[in-house]
Amino acid sequence: MSFSSQNFSPEIVRALDECGYQKLTPVQQQAIPPARRGHDILANAQTGTGKTAAFSLPIIQKILDTPKARKPKVARALMLAPTRELAAQIAQNIKDYTRYVDVSVAAIYGGNKMSSQVNQLEKGVDILVATPGRLCEHLEQGNVAFSTLDFLVFDEADRMLDMGFIGDIRTIMNSFHHHPQTMLFSATFSSQMNVLAKEILVKPKRISVAMENSTAETVAHVVYPVDEDRKRELLSELIGKKNWQQVLVFVNYKENANMLVKELKLDGIKAVLCHGDKGQSARRRALAEFKEGKARVMVATDVAARGLDIQGLPHVVNYDLPFLAEDYVHRIGRTGRAGQRGNAVSFVSRDEELTLVQVENVIGQRIRRIELAGYEPKPRDAYLDKLNTKPAFKGRKGRTNNPEPDQAGAERRARMRNMIKNRNKAPTKLKG
Ligand code: AMP
């Protein structure tokens, strides 16, 4: 199904063509026709499916079809996103789609100056993309009003709830005087989400491009059971021996992310950081280096990586399993896109075995465990003894618990550096 067959303005079709969009993705095929007819939409769509165009193109076209003069402090469409990165990305996509038409878009989110955002809102805007927290500040200060809002979108609604934005969402909803056409997109559905969906949607068309809480079929999932204090070494070895060239590594703690990047660099693997303490421009720079292949590894925390356009990767590694099993779906959504094979690897220590079961329940499949020679976790009894003598460590302290004597560590590192230098050699198989 092509975009020109969907009655979009030729200027939009031309812009989409320049973006490399010829055919509608499945979520676009399902969402665009009912959205154009004015229905509310409840969409179960994973990251990387083309959902931004699915909700924004019908709105852009409707704005073009029913032109209204812009009024100060008024927006015609509001799109809510959980993170500033996602908000910026949605706004950028819309700018790309509206290159040849007169539709204005503004993005407002925390971390940028209020005053420049106030100036943008003062002029009035067709499409406003915002994070809930910053938007509430503007609402409270009277910088924007939604009494005549025509369109409302919740993108990655599950993440907004996880991040505790429910109060802000209610404040925003209370500022409406009528029901705008509303679309809610989410990769996962919890009971809290279903309650929210019932409150905000009227007779929605339900669409789904994947099983609920499922991950793409093109992703090969594997679990490597490994002790916490051997994970870093295993990561370097896998990258080197399997000759992985582009790897997104998820960690739960910022401290682990910092430590891991330093350690990978010592092993001769160029790695960049993406976590909440890094400013937005630093995160974007890291992402650019990673995408351009200047860095082989990007180490990220969930919230920081959220919204960054880093789909279509060959390898995603869960260095730690996520605290929330649903986040596994988000993380893995970065790989295995557009029919390409993706590789989703999880390092699972004894502490994380329960979380693994929860992950398997969420994705509805059992993940293959492979014990790698040399990395077998300590037997459960030894692990329990260790727990009784020392508190389980998390984060930076892990390094000091590393049982590897200095000399052996130096030798291992030298071996690793040599191996990584031969980065373009054919991948060798790890025994496992
Ligand atoms: P999204 O799920 O909106 O983040 O989109 C994921 C990626 O797919 C982005 O890089 C989009 O630019 C791209 N994309 C969206 N729709 C299409 C399409 N119809 N054809 C090709 N690429 C697309």
Side-chain angles (χ1 to χ4, degrees):
M1 205 189 277
S2 70
F3 285 98
S4 47
S5 70
Q6 294 297 304
N7 275 335
F8 284 115
S9 305
E11 293 85 358
I12 302 282
V13 177
R14 181 172 156 214
L16 293 176
D17 194 49
E18 286 173 14
C19 294
Y21 299 9
Q22 258 93 41
K23 289 192 176 146
L24 280 78
T25 64
V27 69
Q28 292 161 5
Q29 285 178 28
Q30 290 189 49
I32 288 175
R36 295 276 306 267
R37 289 196 297 273
H39 288 287
D40 279 6
I41 303 281
L42 176 59
N44 178 198
Q46 292 172 253
T47 42
T49 52
K51 59 190 168 55
T52 313
F55 60 71
S56 59
L57 291 177
I59 293 177
I60 293 168
Q61 189 62 53
K62 282 175 157 232
I63 289 176
L64 291 174
D65 293 343
T66 52
K68 286 184 194 168
R70 277 169 214 138
K71 289 188 199 144
K73 302 184 180 183
V74 167
R76 287 195 69 185
L78 171 64
M79 298 177 179
L80 292 172
T83 62
R84 51 190 179 180
E85 284 83 6
L86 184 59
Q89 192 183 303
I90 294 170
Q92 185 54 53
N93 284 359
I94 293 174
K95 279 183 190 151
D96 292 341
Y97 306 153
T98 56
R99 197 173 295 162
Y100 300 114
V101 290
D102 179 26
V103 172
S104 66
V105 55
I108 62 168
Y109 38 79
N112 278 6
K113 276 191 190 151
M114 285 288 278
S115 56
S116 63
Q117 297 178 350
V118 171
N119 290 341
Q120 277 182 297
L121 293 171
E122 183 59 44
K123 288 184 223 146
V125 61
D126 292 319
I127 302 179
L128 180 62
V129 190
T131 51
R134 176 53 66 95
L135 184 64
C136 276
E137 286 180 56
H138 283 292
L139 262 180
E140 278 155 20
Q141 294 181 14
N143 302 332
V144 66
F146 296 120
S147 44
T148 56
L149 193 75
D150 292 328
F151 311 101
L152 173 65
V153 174
F154 291 81
D155 192 17
E156 303 202 348
D158 48 353
R159 176 51 56 127
M160 281 195 256
L161 294 185
D162 288 349
M163 290 171 76
F165 281 134
I166 188 69
D168 291 333
I169 288 174
R170 286 198 201 289
T171 305
I172 295 164
M173 301 294 297
N174 287 339
S175 72
F176 301 157
H177 291 185
H178 67 292
H179 177 74
Q181 182 186 358
T182 304
M183 302 187 228
L184 185 150
F185 281 70
S186 188
T188 58
F189 279 86
S190 60
S191 47
Q192 193 190 10
M193 173 70 69
N194 290 330
V195 170
L196 178 71
K198 268 198 189 128
E199 274 178 43
I200 62 176
L201 299 169
V202 176
K203 293 189 189 158
K205 293 280 174 209
R206 288 168 187 269
I207 66 169
S208 177
V209 288
M211 293 281 289
E212 280 198 4
N213 295 343
S214 74
T215 53
E217 279 168 17
T218 47
V219 176
H221 304 254
V222 64
V223 157
Y224 294 126
V226 56
D227 284 329
E228 189 66 45
D229 50 10
R230 302 290 309 283
K231 284 185 174 180
R232 193 202 53 71
E233 209 181 319
L234 175 60
L235 180 65
S236 286
E237 186 154 346
L238 284 170
I239 291 171
K241 283 202 169 162
K242 297 199 176 228
N243 199 17
W244 289 345
Q245 293 298 330
Q246 200 180 32
V247 194
L248 177 61
V249 178
F250 279 102
V251 296
N252 290 347
Y253 300 97
K254 283 181 258 187
E255 293 79 4
N256 268 358
N258 291 331
M259 174 274 289
L260 201 52
V261 165
K262 278 188 204 144
E263 300 273 354
L264 286 169
K265 282 184 182 163
L266 286 172
D267 283 342
I269 300 170
K270 176 100 196 283
V272 286
L273 255 183
C274 176
H275 68 53
D277 285 353
K278 296 268 152 200
Q280 203 174 350
S281 57
R283 285 192 234 172
R284 284 230 190 85
R285 227 177 10 255
L287 176 64
E289 285 186 31
F290 181 57
K291 278 183 163 177
E292 288 162 17
K294 289 183 189 154
R296 206 166 164 183
V297 178
M298 182 153 100
V299 181
T301 54
D302 289 284
V303 170
R306 193 75 183 170
L308 292 180
D309 186 11
I310 35 176
Q311 326 289 346
L313 292 169
H315 309 285
V316 171
V317 174
N318 293 305
Y319 188 87
D320 305 303
L321 280 184
F323 294 123
L324 286 172
E326 284 79 8
D327 277 339
Y328 184 89
V329 180
H330 294 298
R331 291 179 175 188
I332 297 316
R334 314 288 185 168
T335 185
R337 278 186 60 240
Q340 289 176 341
R341 296 277 321 150
N343 189 16
V345 165
S346 300
F347 294 172
V348 176
S349 68
R350 295 239 182 255
D351 276 340
E352 295 170 301
E353 284 170 3
L354 194 61
T355 314
L356 177 59
V357 175
Q358 288 163 350
V359 165
E360 289 176 324
N361 286 340
V362 166
I363 65 169
Q365 63 171 281
R366 192 179 143 77
I367 306 176
R368 201 155 57 104
R369 277 95 167 139
I370 300 181
E371 281 206 355
L372 292 172
Y375 288 94
E376 301 88 346
K378 288 183 196 72
R380 187 169 293 276
D381 289 351
Y383 167 74
L384 290 177
D385 284 350
K386 191 175 151 198
L387 271 192
N388 288 335
T389 50
K390 287 186 204 168
F393 77 87
K394 286 274 181 236
R396 196 195 301 267
K397 288 195 191 86
R399 276 301 289 157
T400 54
N401 283 354
N402 193 331
E404 195 175 61
D406 283 347
Q407 181 59 29
E411 283 168 13
R412 188 196 60 75
R413 232 185 245 302
R415 272 202 315 278
M416 197 71 77
R417 268 199 301 271
N418 274 340
M419 184 177 72
I420 303 293
K421 263 196 214 152
N422 287 333
R423 57 166 58 189
N424 291 326
K425 268 176 52 184
T428 51
K429 273 200 167 155
L430 275 182
K431 276 184 252 157

